[in-house]
Amino acid sequence: MTLDPVIACHRFSVHDLGRIRQVLLVVYVEVYADRLVDPFFSAERFIDRLDSQITAPRWEAVVGYHSDQPIGYAYGALLRPNTTLWQNMDPVPPDAFIAESAGRTFFMFELMLRSSWRKRDLSKHLHDALLAGRAETRVALTVEHDHPRVRALYESWGYINMGADRPMADAPLYDVMVLDRPTA
């Protein structure tokens, strides 16, 4: 899929992870270079989170390339019906919102671009490429609470801030955002 005259996006499933694991790690380490000393943001913890996330149903990644160089990526998977994401939020959403059915919510775990590729709308293109062809009726993601500009970017794409969550004891506070998608 070509998103820009010089940027191509390639879709990968969990079965392709062996081919892209190093790409994901290299981009992560570059993007989080100034935070890698924080145990939560260390490269090792990123790999631990990735190894856990790929066990979720229908995990997929989209990697954007300029020639043969990765510029960034986005990946996510279905939320399981027994997810505790919603119950751990503050405030806890209403029961109808929490009721997760198979195939209702796609959770985007990561969306990142190398710094030299930012401010070109490419994050939106990676986002849209990842969601293309998916049937879920909503998308959820988290944004560090202390990053209001990133939160505002997602809001400009239609996401709504639903509340806060701290997924692990040593994690920063995150805002949980949701985008309702039109049904076909």
Side-chain angles (χ1 to χ4, degrees):
M1 168 184 309
T2 300
L3 301 176
D4 178 278
V6 295
I7 303 300
C9 280
H10 300 279
R11 183 176 299 274
F12 300 94
S13 75
V14 69
H15 304 293
D16 302 311
L17 189 60
R19 292 181 21 214
I20 63 165
R21 179 186 289 271
Q22 191 62 29
V23 169
L24 300 179
L25 179 60
V26 165
V27 173
Y28 178 87
V29 166
E30 182 179 316
V31 169
Y32 283 94
D34 61 337
R35 299 178 81 182
L36 294 173
V37 296
D38 179 330
F40 181 77
F41 291 103
S42 71
E44 295 80 13
R45 287 286 292 280
F46 168 73
I47 291 298
D48 290 345
R49 285 190 298 272
L50 175 62
D51 287 344
S52 174
Q53 294 161 347
I54 63 171
T55 66
R58 294 197 61 213
W59 183 93
E60 287 188 314
V62 167
V63 180
Y65 290 90
H66 174 256
S67 298
D68 62 346
Q69 294 300 308
I71 61 135
Y73 58 79
Y75 68 77
L78 286 176
L79 282 183
R80 290 185 171 96
N82 63 347
T83 184
T84 59
L85 170 69
W86 312 119
Q87 292 89 340
N88 294 333
M89 286 175 45
D90 182 23
V92 175
D95 288 344
F97 184 88
I98 290 174
E100 199 62 59
S101 59
R104 181 180 186 195
T105 306
F106 180 77
F107 192 88
M108 188 166 55
F109 295 114
E110 296 287 353
L111 171 60
M112 60 183 71
L113 279 171
R114 292 180 135 160
S115 60
S116 61
W117 292 95
R118 294 182 188 152
K119 301 185 190 274
R120 300 183 192 194
D121 272 344
L122 294 173
S123 57
K124 178 73 163 107
H125 290 298
L126 289 173
H127 170 274
D128 292 350
L130 180 61
L131 298 180
R134 297 199 65 102
E136 296 85 7
T137 58
R138 66 183 181 185
V139 180
L141 55 81
T142 57
V143 174
E144 279 188 72
H145 181 75
D146 292 339
H147 292 161
R149 288 180 21 187
V150 177
R151 188 173 47 255
L153 176 67
Y154 286 122
E155 287 170 343
S156 76
W157 298 352
Y159 282 85
I160 297 170
N161 186 354
M162 299 300 297
D165 180 34
R166 188 176 312 273
M168 296 170 209
D170 64 343
L173 186 64
Y174 284 91
D175 292 327
V176 180
M177 304 188 76
V178 174
L179 172 69
D180 286 321
R181 300 179 73 207
T183 56

